[in-house]
Amino acid sequence: MPEERIVRLRNAGLTPTPQRLAVLEYLDDNHAHPTAEEIYRAVHSRHPTIVKATVYNTLSALKKVGVIQELTIAREAARYEATATPHPHFMCRVCGRIYDVDLPCMVRPGDDVNGHKVEAVHTYIYGVCADCRRDRVENDNHSKLVVPEARDA
Amino acid sequence: MPEERIVRLRNAGLTPTPQRLAVLEYLDDNHAHPTAEEIYRAVHSRHPTIVKATVYNTLSALKKVGVIQELTIAREAARYEATATPHPHFMCRVCGRIYDVDLPCMVRPGDDVNGHKVEAVHTYIYGVCADCRRDRVENDNHSKLVVPEARDA
DNA sequence: GTGGCTGCAAATCATTTGCATATAC
DNA sequence: GTATATGCAAATGATTTGCAGCCAC
């Protein structure tokens, strides 16, 4: 329902341009936490005139009004998701995938921590995801589970 | 005590060069979570031959062996701290300072979340710090506490 | 109409890399 | 002596910006 997205943008004070609607639609449907580059490629394929700077400007505008969120879970590039209930994220150092995880937070917007006023909380968990643990066992189930080269931490 | 740092690097399997010792000493003494640029400037002033690439290589090496940690709390640049007990960080969107905060974590390395193996947890809290809240009240104590331009979230 | 977008090109800025030399042990 | 790290310069890559024309309303 495009109308719903138009309303969402209008309510946020943003002109609902086709480009912004396309980016937002993509994020509504894609829960893999894409980078700006990935968003650009996907949107560009249906909307060939769009340029990367517009994607960046759009992401920045959507973020500012709280319609999407930016994750700094990886140093190389920001990741984006349509705003939902705040939740932690897990990034696999083997395959690089990012998962939403279902865990309560100890702090919430509006709280006070050590006298500081909380407005947002981002929890990033790093490790090896369920799929990659399984693969490792399947490929080599006589040796212990050993950690290979670390991508990051 | 430089000997202690030499031992720390040796135990981690790293050659204790003067450059690495200088970077590590700076991080041991500075708890403001500096960027690579800030570390470079500080170390360069006592060690004028050091070059930024060496600071980056050093930070990367120290991180890989777990002697320091890299924070991705801000998109613009990584921040570093000497490794301590894992703890959440708070970044003030008014002054940009980063504080260590004293809160328990709900997940720890070794845990399992949704089937994923946890190796590290980074919690980043954003808002307005105690100092900046106080300043705002002092400068304008007849109006409500209003949030100005958002730097980020 | 006009102010806010988009497309385009160029700039910025953090971070990385290749390579010859210097250093740690 | 030899493997490893440093210094230097150039490359990379994400993100930003300035600006002229276009689009939404």
Side-chain angles (χ1 to χ4, degrees):
Chain A
M1 49 292 311
E3 298 78 12
E4 186 276 326
R5 270 186 279 273
I6 292 178
V7 171
R8 204 162 6 138
L9 290 180
R10 284 243 167 75
N11 287 345
L14 293 180
T15 307
T17 66
Q19 292 85 343
R20 286 172 176 174
L21 289 166
V23 167
L24 186 50
E25 178 180 9
Y26 181 69
L27 284 175
D28 277 341
D29 294 346
N30 179 310
H31 297 163
H33 311 90
T35 61
E37 173 73 30
E38 286 161 350
I39 296 167
Y40 165 71
R41 280 209 283 265
V43 169
H44 185 264
S45 72
R46 323 184 120 234
H47 210 294
T49 70
I50 204 173
V51 101
K52 219 183 283 183
T54 298
V55 171
Y56 275 106
N57 289 335
T58 295
L59 291 170
S60 169
L62 294 175
K63 173 178 57 150
K64 191 167 303 180
V65 298
V67 169
I68 64 171
Q69 279 198 60
E70 183 182 72
L71 308 181
T72 60
I73 194 169
R75 208 180 4 21
E76 312 84 53
R79 308 298 194 115
Y80 297 88
E81 74 177 357
T83 300
T85 315
H87 55 271
H89 293 90
F90 179 96
M91 181 171 201
C92 177
R93 86 170 138 72
V94 175
C95 66
R97 273 177 293 189
I98 295 172
Y99 300 83
D100 293 329
V101 312
D102 181 29
L103 267 179
C105 273
M106 52 196 157
V107 214
R108 311 204 136 274
D111 289 355
D112 225 272
V113 284
N114 298 9
H116 311 313
K117 177 74 149 200
V118 174
E119 291 174 352
V121 180
H122 287 210
T123 301
Y124 302 132
I125 306 172
Y126 303 88
V128 182
C129 76
D131 275 10
C132 289
R133 290 170 79 179
R134 187 176 319 115
D135 290 352
R136 204 165 304 173
V137 171
E138 281 165 3
N139 293 336
D140 177 76
N141 47 17
H142 285 294
S143 81
K144 315 190 231 357
L145 218 57
V146 172
V147 172
E149 37 64 36
R151 175 195 304 243
D152 197 75
Chain B
M1 51 291 312
E3 297 79 13
E4 185 276 324
R5 271 187 278 272
I6 292 178
V7 170
R8 208 167 356 145
L9 290 180
R10 284 241 168 76
N11 287 344
L14 292 181
T15 307
T17 67
Q19 291 85 342
R20 286 172 174 173
L21 288 166
V23 167
L24 186 50
E25 176 178 11
Y26 182 69
L27 284 174
D28 277 341
D29 293 347
N30 180 312
H31 298 164
H33 310 91
T35 62
E37 172 73 30
E38 286 161 351
I39 295 166
Y40 165 70
R41 280 210 281 266
V43 169
H44 185 265
S45 73
R46 325 183 119 234
H47 211 294
T49 69
I50 203 173
V51 102
K52 222 185 276 183
T54 296
V55 171
Y56 276 106
N57 289 337
T58 295
L59 291 170
S60 170
L62 294 174
K63 173 178 57 151
K64 189 167 304 179
V65 298
V67 169
I68 64 171
Q69 279 198 59
E70 182 181 75
L71 309 180
T72 60
I73 195 169
R75 208 181 6 19
E76 311 88 49
R79 306 298 193 116
Y80 297 89
E81 73 176 359
T83 300
T85 315
H87 55 272
H89 291 90
F90 178 96
M91 182 172 198
C92 177
R93 85 167 140 71
V94 176
C95 66
R97 272 177 292 188
I98 296 173
Y99 300 84
D100 294 327
V101 313
D102 182 28
L103 268 178
C105 273
M106 50 196 158
V107 215
R108 311 205 136 274
D111 288 356
D112 225 272
V113 284
N114 299 8
H116 311 313
K117 176 73 149 200
V118 174
E119 292 175 351
V121 180
H122 286 210
T123 301
Y124 302 132
I125 306 172
Y126 303 86
V128 182
C129 76
D131 276 9
C132 290
R133 291 171 79 180
R134 188 176 315 117
D135 291 352
R136 204 167 302 172
V137 172
E138 280 166 5
N139 295 335
D140 177 81
N141 47 15
H142 286 293
S143 81
K144 314 190 233 353
L145 219 54
V146 172
V147 173
E149 36 61 39
R151 176 196 303 241
D152 196 75

